[in-house]
Amino acid sequence: MWIQKKIKLAAKRRGFHLITHELLAELTEIKQYRVGLVHIFIQHTSASLAINENADADVRVDLESYFSKIAPEDEPYFLHTMEGSDDMPAHIKSVMIGNDLTLPIADGRLALGTWQGIYLCEHRNYGGERKLIVTLQGD
């Protein structure tokens, strides 16, 4: 069985946001799958998706601090500056982290580890609403 859905996430400030519960609320069909895969793709070039720590919010703060240091704003060598000083660093971060995730489904649930959650990594100061395409496949 295949299902594909478009999910819109409300605008979030720059940072790493745990969205596991928000996604699962939109993916009630996942309960129908004994075994399968879910593929999540973000339709943007200045935000990304990741799996990481779901318990300690300090991890998300530390990730934002780290990525802001390795891809800082206002670098004099950036040519792509028309969309704001946060845009080119957002593209760099997005390339580094990635725009999709593929996760296993087992017995009607995402087969995440105990401490794993799905992150929306918002790399723009004001990125706006984000659109995801989610594809479920399996039995």
Side-chain angles (χ1 to χ4, degrees):
M1 177 171 55
W2 288 78
I3 296 173
Q4 190 169 77
K5 296 181 89 167
K6 294 180 181 181
I7 297 175
K8 293 181 181 179
L9 300 175
K12 296 176 180 10
R13 62 178 166 64
R14 184 165 84 180
F16 289 71
H17 303 277
L18 193 58
I19 61 165
T20 310
H21 295 297
E22 191 174 349
L23 282 177
L24 290 175
E26 297 287 332
L27 297 173
T28 56
E29 301 88 350
I30 203 167
K31 295 174 185 171
Q32 300 172 31
Y33 290 84
R34 184 182 52 79
V35 62
L37 295 171
V38 60
H39 181 260
I40 309 165
F41 174 76
I42 190 165
Q43 294 183 298
H44 301 276
T45 60
S46 57
S48 53
L49 298 169
I51 301 289
N52 217 301
E53 168 79 45
N54 69 0
D56 186 352
D58 288 345
V59 171
R60 296 189 297 277
V61 173
D62 289 346
L63 284 167
E64 175 58 32
S65 296
Y66 177 79
F67 277 95
S68 291
K69 284 187 181 181
I70 62 172
E73 294 182 25
D74 299 315
E75 289 296 332
Y77 50 83
F78 287 157
L79 301 177
H80 178 74
T81 58
M82 290 181 57
E83 296 179 54
S85 63
D86 66 332
D87 192 48
M88 190 60 221
H91 293 308
I92 293 168
K93 294 170 191 176
S94 177
V95 166
M96 293 175 72
I97 297 171
N99 60 10
D100 71 324
L101 300 171
T102 301
L103 305 168
I105 300 169
D107 299 319
R109 299 177 38 194
L110 287 180
L112 292 168
T114 301
W115 306 112
Q116 290 182 319
I118 301 169
Y119 285 12
L120 167 67
C121 312
E122 177 56 69
H123 305 305
R124 295 294 309 267
N125 293 328
Y126 305 101
E129 177 181 84
R130 297 302 190 175
K131 297 173 188 166
L132 306 175
I133 301 291
V134 180
T135 306
L136 300 164
Q137 67 181 68
D139 291 321

